[in-house]
Amino acid sequence: MGAVEIREEYRIALEVCPTPLMLVSRDGNIVLCNERFAVLFGYLPGELHGQSVDVLVPEEIREFHPELRQAFFEVPTSRNMGTGRDLYGMKKDGELIPVEIGLDPVTPDENALVMVSVLDIRERKMSEAKIRRAIDAASSAMVMIDEHGKIELVNEQANRMFGYADQELIDHKIETLVPHRYHRKHSVYRTSYQNTRNQRYMGVGRDLFGLKKDGTEFPVEIGLTPLDGADGRLIMATVIDITERKLNEKNIREKNQELERLNHELTEFAYSASHDLKAPLSSIYGILELSETDLENGDIDEVRTNLSRARMLAQRLSGRIEDMLTLARADHLDDVLEEISIPDMVREASQAVQGQSSQTSQLTTEFAHSDPIHSSPTRLSAILENLLANAFKYSDPEKQQNKIHIKTWDEGEVMKLAIQDNGIGIPEDHLDKIFKLFKRVANSNEPGSGLGLALVEKNLAHLGGSIEVVSSHEGSCFTVSLPQNRKAPATDAPAQNLEVAK
Amino acid sequence: MTLSVVLVDDDEIDRYITRRIVKATVTDSRFTEYEAGDAFLQAITDPEARKRDLGVTPPPALVLLDINMPRMSGFDVLESMKKQLEHDEDLRKSAMVMMFSSSDNAEDRQTALSYDFVKEYVVKPLTKQKLQELVDRNFG
């Protein structure tokens, strides 16, 4: 095909036109281009004349370009090139610039020419990119859908939140991000929303969930904003993952319940404590009042008896106060761990207890653990004294001889100590209550504060140990377990909550 | 008329105090005491024990019931009594209970007085004056 004659009027027309333009022949040669065109692509005026248009085509599609060009010339019509695709032109120095290209056939004959107008859309692309960056920088996830529920735009946060790759969600239904069980309802809600199209939160009062690509669900809060524009009736949904908020709410709720429980226990404690402290006092009051009457009547013997009763009551009261203080202090004891000889400690404890007890019992021992052990002497002696005191106190008057047997053994790293008595025993339905504060279950006239076993359990908890009890009419057996992990003694065992008996 | 008075209290000294006050206040009384709630309940359900302790056709019987007792509290006793009274008309007509406790707890007072057969709530120690007022009010 020979050179095409270009009329001078064409040349002048091209030069005065503000748009970069070129004329291309059917075989792809640049017949003419204006200066604006040459400048846009970095060429000198006239430098492009006679060259193939393919020099302006990015390398990766240069291969297919002749075929596309041929197809165009078969049915030449005025139109935009590559509708819907991003087009780039290549400058002389290899730089790619985003362009929009218009094609207009000029002479519909053998020597057909096509007028190619090229629009530099770099600025538009840049402002688009700026908006895109702004959307991606938003802290909440954003998903834009069209009026049919098709996803048009997803920002980075949304992709990350739902676990999708860039562009992966585009053109999918919005229900992709909604748990399956809500699909049917969701499309109805969506249609209803299209009728009101107001800016509001989705599903106020309901718990909303998002569905990730991996199938996991998470709680969300969603704001809806209608966007009306040339692109149709769009909806922008901003999504906030409220997993953490829900978790915090749950934590706070639990903390509150815990506080309420503790507060309730404290009230119960105050109730029981005031009751137990006041009871001996009011008895003393009553006794003294009677003594006044007896004195007036000259009944000195009765006065004497009553004074000793009052003294006993005062002693009981002082014991209770002491017990309460001991219990309160049990949480704040400094645990100094020492080597302890159990036989020595049992001997000391039984001497202390027998000194206070009105009952006599035969105490036998059987030590088979590895002595000494490693523990807190303060706590361990409190445990032993309380258990022994109970064993002495709740003896069975029906039995010929009151017996208490203490035996010890090792069970792996745990030292076991059992105190077996043949006392009155504990009714089975009360076994679970005996470690509670102020709970006295024994059918016995022996005075008690109801704090002894609570104190035992608390001290054991601090030593990382535990206690078990079996009981029948034949007597009771309390078995203490003390872990003997000498490498890491349990000094920081969590303090036990006070459980106050009703 | 002889007033039958029943005392239920686990504390030995408190029983002594109450016993003396009842005897000094109500000159014509039949006084019976129990150390625990279940023993008392058994006595009012067992006709023989009842005949012995409360009389055959029970005269007005005053039950002095301590709240704070081990194993079975005064409130536990009230619950059982309530069931017993449902099918025991004689007892329902005659028995009246006075709860007493060493602490003046509003909630306890309310709970106690919610039983229609509980007429009084007295804070320990019981004194002659308190008992006299109570007897005058209820049996005068």
Side-chain angles (χ1 to χ4, degrees):
Chain A
M1 213 171 282
V4 182
E5 280 302 314
I6 299 299
R7 290 156 62 179
E8 186 56 20
E9 298 95 300
Y10 273 19
R11 200 182 311 275
I12 295 165
L14 251 62
E15 285 306 332
V16 298
C17 182
T19 313
L21 292 169
M22 68 173 171
L23 277 168
V24 178
S25 66
R26 191 178 182 129
D27 55 6
N29 278 330
I30 298 171
V31 178
L32 182 67
C33 71
N34 60 8
E35 199 180 319
R36 282 188 182 83
F37 190 94
V39 170
L40 176 61
F41 284 92
Y43 290 89
L44 295 170
E47 193 182 349
L48 279 166
H49 291 176
Q51 293 208 47
S52 164
V53 289
D54 291 345
V55 302
L56 305 173
V57 176
E59 275 166 24
E60 62 263 33
I61 55 163
R62 199 171 286 169
E63 198 186 326
F64 318 105
H65 196 249
E67 196 185 334
L68 296 170
R69 196 173 59 237
Q70 284 304 321
F72 174 78
F73 277 104
E74 278 159 28
V75 194
T77 50
S78 285
R79 63 176 179 84
N80 285 334
M81 189 192 280
T83 319
R85 281 185 295 127
D86 281 343
L87 296 181
Y88 292 90
M90 195 174 78
K91 284 172 70 177
K92 191 180 178 185
D93 62 7
E95 188 195 336
L96 296 179
I97 51 174
V99 289
E100 225 169 66
I101 299 173
L103 303 172
D104 295 281
V106 181
T107 45
D109 57 22
E110 264 304 292
N111 292 325
L113 291 177
V114 60
M115 173 80 83
V116 180
S117 57
V118 176
L119 269 184
D120 176 2
I121 57 167
R122 268 180 292 188
E123 260 181 46
R124 194 212 297 169
K125 282 281 172 194
M126 262 161 65
S127 60
E128 270 178 24
K130 205 184 285 172
I131 291 168
R132 177 75 217 187
R133 275 205 306 278
I135 288 174
D136 281 345
S139 60
S140 42
M142 298 167 99
V143 179
M144 193 167 76
I145 59 166
D146 69 8
E147 52 196 311
H148 307 293
K150 202 177 74 181
I151 297 173
E152 294 228 322
L153 176 147
V154 181
N155 74 349
E156 232 173 75
Q157 289 289 345
N159 280 323
R160 201 175 310 141
M161 184 182 288
F162 289 93
Y164 287 91
D166 189 25
Q167 300 296 312
E168 198 178 348
L169 279 166
I170 302 300
D171 289 345
H172 280 86
K173 285 290 235 184
I174 185 67
E175 276 76 21
T176 313
L177 305 178
V178 177
H180 298 289
R181 61 182 182 283
Y182 300 122
H183 277 191
R184 205 186 298 271
K185 274 187 172 178
H186 190 265
S187 52
V188 177
Y189 291 146
R190 191 154 47 71
T191 315
S192 312
Y193 183 75
Q194 284 295 3
N195 291 329
T196 54
R197 290 182 70 78
N198 50 352
Q199 182 163 2
R200 63 169 173 87
Y201 283 100
M202 187 191 287
V204 177
R206 278 184 291 130
D207 282 336
L208 303 179
F209 296 94
L211 178 69
K212 292 191 190 191
K213 192 182 180 183
D214 66 11
T216 53
E217 289 180 20
F218 60 104
V220 290
E221 198 173 87
I222 298 173
L224 298 173
T225 311
L227 298 173
D228 293 320
D231 309 337
R233 291 150 65 79
L234 304 173
I235 300 165
M236 178 68 94
T238 46
V239 187
I240 300 169
D241 181 345
I242 55 170
T243 308
E244 205 165 318
R245 191 206 300 171
K246 287 272 173 192
L247 214 66
N248 285 342
E249 282 172 8
K250 188 168 159 268
N251 280 345
I252 289 171
R253 214 163 36 238
E254 281 172 1
K255 284 258 158 60
N256 264 338
Q257 280 168 357
E258 174 73 5
L259 279 177
E260 267 169 33
R261 195 181 62 78
L262 285 175
N263 203 24
H264 179 72
E265 276 179 9
L266 199 64
T267 313
E268 296 262 320
F269 180 85
Y271 169 80
S272 302
S274 73
H275 201 282
D276 272 43
L277 293 181
K278 217 178 155 193
L281 256 188
S282 51
S283 301
I284 291 171
Y285 183 97
I287 286 280
L288 293 179
E289 204 174 42
L290 289 176
S291 298
E292 282 171 353
T293 316
D294 293 338
L295 259 185
E296 277 166 30
N297 298 339
D299 193 348
I300 299 301
D301 282 348
E302 195 65 17
V303 173
R304 198 172 286 120
T305 317
N306 281 340
L307 283 181
S308 96
R309 280 177 175 138
R311 186 160 43 81
M312 201 199 79
L313 286 167
Q315 215 169 15
R316 188 187 294 180
L317 179 58
S318 130
R320 278 186 195 176
I321 292 172
E322 201 51 54
D323 280 357
M324 278 186 202
L325 290 176
T326 311
L327 190 74
R329 276 195 297 256
D331 275 333
H332 308 291
L333 270 183
D334 279 334
D335 286 309
V336 185
L337 300 190
E338 288 172 20
E339 305 265 284
I340 296 168
S341 159
I342 290 287
D344 287 354
M345 187 163 271
V346 166
R347 192 164 46 245
E348 281 163 26
S350 68
Q351 276 164 3
V353 170
Q354 267 168 316
Q356 298 160 8
S357 178
S358 52
Q359 318 284 340
T360 50
S361 291
Q362 185 194 58
L363 178 68
T364 51
T365 54
E366 186 185 337
F367 300 111
H369 69 285
S370 31
D371 212 51
I373 68 152
H374 201 67
S375 196
S376 152
T378 326
R379 294 194 188 281
L380 198 57
S381 69
I383 293 165
L384 282 177
E385 279 183 25
N386 275 289
L387 290 176
L388 268 174
N390 282 349
F392 275 101
K393 201 190 282 180
Y394 300 112
S395 56
D396 188 349
E398 308 272 298
K399 294 183 182 126
Q400 280 197 328
Q401 166 112 58
N402 300 325
K403 288 179 185 165
I404 300 169
H405 184 64
I406 298 182
K407 63 174 180 177
T408 62
W409 67 99
D410 286 333
E411 242 177 60
E413 287 283 278
V414 179
M415 199 274 295
K416 296 263 189 180
L417 181 147
I419 299 184
Q420 167 85 56
D421 64 48
N422 66 343
I424 51 176
I426 303 156
E428 199 177 334
D429 51 338
H430 288 127
L431 272 180
D432 55 334
K433 297 182 196 141
I434 58 173
F435 293 102
K436 292 191 174 183
L437 286 178
F438 300 112
K439 192 68 195 182
R440 299 187 56 217
V441 300
N443 196 6
S444 159
N445 282 325
E446 286 293 334
S449 61
L451 296 173
L453 286 175
L455 191 64
V456 167
E457 202 181 40
K458 183 177 277 229
N459 275 310
L460 268 172
H462 275 273
L463 295 174
S466 60
I467 187 163
E468 276 168 50
V469 57
V470 280
S471 189
S472 70
H473 292 300
E474 302 298 307
S476 307
C477 182
F478 287 83
T479 307
V480 168
S481 300
L482 265 185
Q484 283 300 297
N485 186 349
R486 288 168 177 87
K487 282 158 274 169
T491 50
D492 282 331
Q496 270 213 315
N497 294 323
L498 295 180
E499 269 200 86
V500 183
K502 285 247 181 193
Chain B
M1 193 166 67
T2 308
L3 181 65
S4 158
V5 180
V6 174
L7 168 67
V8 188
D9 194 332
D10 65 303
D11 191 281
E12 200 184 336
I13 294 175
D14 281 1
R15 281 202 307 275
Y16 161 79
I17 297 168
T18 310
R19 187 191 313 135
R20 278 197 57 180
I21 286 175
V22 169
K23 294 210 162 139
T25 315
V26 192
T27 38
D28 187 10
S29 69
R30 190 198 335 252
F31 187 81
T32 319
E33 54 186 69
Y34 299 94
E35 292 175 22
D38 44 9
F40 161 69
L41 285 172
Q42 201 201 338
I44 60 167
T45 43
D46 172 17
E48 281 305 305
R50 193 158 140 189
K51 184 175 173 183
R52 186 181 64 240
D53 296 343
L54 306 174
V56 189
T57 32
L62 173 61
V63 180
L64 306 174
L65 179 59
D66 184 28
I67 289 180
N68 195 34
M69 294 185 284
R71 216 155 42 85
M72 189 174 203
S73 78
F75 291 125
D76 295 334
V77 174
L78 286 182
E79 249 331 279
S80 300
M81 262 189 96
K82 188 181 167 186
K83 291 198 188 88
Q84 168 72 13
L85 289 181
E86 271 167 20
H87 51 81
D88 193 333
E89 205 178 332
D90 285 348
L91 194 64
R92 191 168 61 235
K93 275 183 186 156
S94 64
M96 76 146 269
V97 175
M98 187 204 84
M99 295 294 277
F100 64 151
S101 162
S102 51
S103 71
D104 188 7
N105 181 286
E107 209 177 312
D108 281 356
R109 182 185 289 271
Q110 207 181 349
T111 312
L113 295 174
S114 71
Y115 294 86
D116 56 4
F117 53 92
V118 176
K119 300 292 185 217
E120 304 278 345
Y121 181 97
V122 179
V123 179
K124 280 184 186 177
L126 185 63
T127 58
K128 266 187 80 168
Q129 198 195 347
K130 279 188 205 167
L131 185 64
Q132 190 62 60
E133 280 171 19
L134 191 145
V135 170
D136 290 349
R137 195 158 50 235
N138 294 282
F139 302 98

